[in-house]
């Protein structure tokens, strides 16, 4: 029997995608900040996470998110 170990970076990327699908970006950022308080290097993460992104694509994603109906959540 073999066990495949997934790299931590891949797990973190998947978790980030799931969070962003279910929470607004502000809540994700606050969660991430509290989770990683004093750990890691944000600039390295940002560069890896957005390496293939363009400003135009990110702008399109922001516009699409803003056009979604407001979600009512209890904070």
């Amino acid at each position: 029997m073999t066990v495949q170990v997934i790299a931590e970076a891949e797990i973190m990327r998947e978790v980030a995608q799931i969070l962003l699908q279910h929470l607004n970006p502000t809540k994700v950022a606050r969660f991430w900040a509290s989770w990683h308080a004093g750990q890691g290097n944000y600039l390295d993460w940002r560069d890896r996470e957005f390496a293939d992104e363009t400003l135009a694509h990110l702008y399109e994603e922001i516009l699409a998110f803003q056009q979604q109906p407001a979600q009512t959540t209890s904070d």
Side-chain angles (χ1 to χ4, degrees), residues 5 13 20 22 34 36 38 41 45 53 58 61 65 71-72:
V5 178
R13 181 184 313 272
L20 287 168
H22 296 281
S34 67
H36 288 292
N41 184 328
W45 173 84
E53 289 288 355
L58 290 172
E61 287 188 5
F65 179 81
Q71 297 177 359
T72 57

Side-chain angles (χ1 to χ4, degrees), residues 11-49:
I11 293 169
M12 297 303 279
R13 181 184 313 272
E14 187 175 343
V15 168
Q17 289 173 350
I18 291 168
L19 287 172
L20 287 168
Q21 287 173 357
H22 296 281
L23 297 171
N24 70 48
T26 303
K27 287 183 180 181
V28 173
R30 288 181 64 190
F31 169 78
W32 220 251
S34 67
W35 182 268
H36 288 292
Q39 296 179 10
N41 184 328
Y42 166 76
L43 297 177
D44 286 341
W45 173 84
R46 181 200 63 194
D47 291 344
R48 285 190 316 273
E49 189 65 26

